[in-house]
Amino acid sequence: MSNHSLDLLPEVAAILDALTEPAALLSLDYQILATNNAYQEHFRSSQEIMGRHCYEVSHGYDLPCDQEGESCPLKRCVETGARQRMLHIHNTPHGQEHVDVEMAPVHSSEGELVCFLEVMHLVKVARPTAEGEGMVGRSAAFNQMLAFLQRAAPSEISVLLLGESGTGKELVARALHDQSKRASGPFVTVECSGLSESLFESELFGHERGAFTGAVNRKQGLVAAARGGTLFLDEIGDVPLALQVKLLRLIETGTYRTVGGVELQHADFRLVCATHRHLEDMVEAGTFRRDLFYRISAFPIELPNLAERVEDIPLLVDVLLKRIPEAESKALTPAALSALQGYAFPGNIRELRNILERAVLLSDDSLIDLPHLTPAVVSSGLIPIAEAEDSVKSLEQVEQEYLHALRSRFTGDNRALARALGISERTLYRKLKSI
């Protein structure tokens, strides 16, 4: 870096104080050159932050993120020359936290790359540990979903949540609302399943007194109740075809009429929809309007099923046991936890909670073991011994299989895992690279 570039740093660093979120200037070799007060507060410790490497402070690593098995936004900035944004899990004095890291290259007037501006958007709706409220998870599939949520939440774009039943679509919809500019407004859920055409229209748009038999009073609809906030249409694939055109008109024009009313009403909401159905197949079959599909699916987010989040199961078990009445003192035996991690969970997180609630009732002491789990879970964990006597595996193969299984279940970071295995973190990283 030239002397002229160094002279620019105080001016660039002054910009940091205008940012409310943790921010820092990083050198080309990962050193922290300047920070704002929010950064200092977020990573406050007995050690001086200035001059240290960013990966030391935020991750506790000895090497850059990409050499520790993670994606590195700074390296991607160097490779692409463009701004990068990635979701990471940081180690802070508050514990581990999800952070949406934004990294931008800073150039001098001569076009020389001077440093990088790092801004950390703190994720408040999810945690990688069992403490706190909101969603929990740390698996790659969960983090990918969370990264999409972080991108969509601040905008007004319509979001379509796609996932199996029990994957937590309403939780994600609520998180989108809580991270949006409409967070202070209402969050209104419309359960589309099981509503008849007349009832659906009345619930959504409201009705006037005398509009139909039994309408003895005027009723406000859920669209009006969602004014200034978020309208969440759960299981939108179940909306009758005849009503889809009225829903389309509402979305396109922002206006509607109550049942039995003549005056045009104006809506003001951010739309989030969810379904477990394959809407594109329904469009081809003629049971879902193509124009409505394109209106609601501007930003689709796939929610992973529990089978794709095996490494999150120990964390979810801890959280659910804290939330189930009279279950806080309970813990799972290693055999019980292993059986749960080998189960497919067709009912996803909702089914996991049901299994744990049953196990809590069957367990007479503080431990939940195999006999307390459902037969389906126990049978899925049984491994038949079918290999021939001469099918001997090499020690290297056994080690790789063990590390692969351990990495999917271990809830700590690489440093903690290396410590538990009695090897250095660098040795662990080398072994993981060979898997």
Side-chain angles (χ1 to χ4, degrees), residues 177 182 184-190 202-206 218-232 256 258 265-270:
H177 171 75
R182 295 174 174 263
S184 60
F187 175 79
V188 177
T189 299
V190 181
S202 174
E203 285 291 309
L204 197 63
F205 303 129
R218 186 178 187 274
K219 178 186 176 182
Q220 182 188 55
L222 295 176
V223 170
R227 178 172 296 277
T230 299
L231 184 68
F232 174 47
Y256 65 98
T258 59
Q265 307 290 328
H266 291 273
D268 175 21
F269 60 83
R270 195 264 183 90

Side-chain angles (χ1 to χ4, degrees), residues 204-205 223 231 233 244-257 265-269 271:
L204 197 63
F205 303 129
V223 170
L231 184 68
L233 301 181
Q244 290 177 21
V245 64
K246 295 185 178 182
L247 187 56
L248 177 64
R249 188 179 302 120
L250 168 69
I251 297 170
E252 287 186 329
T253 67
T255 60
Y256 65 98
R257 287 187 175 88
Q265 307 290 328
H266 291 273
D268 175 21
F269 60 83
L271 181 66

Side-chain angles (χ1 to χ4, degrees), residues 391-404:
S391 59
V392 178
K393 296 180 179 180
S394 68
L395 290 177
E396 182 181 2
Q397 186 178 359
V398 171
E399 182 185 77
Q400 287 181 345
E401 291 177 359
Y402 175 72
L403 285 176
H404 179 76

Side-chain angles (χ1 to χ4, degrees), residues 310-314 336-343 345 408-410:
V310 174
E311 64 191 271
D312 284 340
I313 289 179
L337 184 58
S338 178
L340 287 175
Q341 289 182 300
Y343 182 55
F345 284 103
S408 68
R409 298 175 184 176
F410 192 76

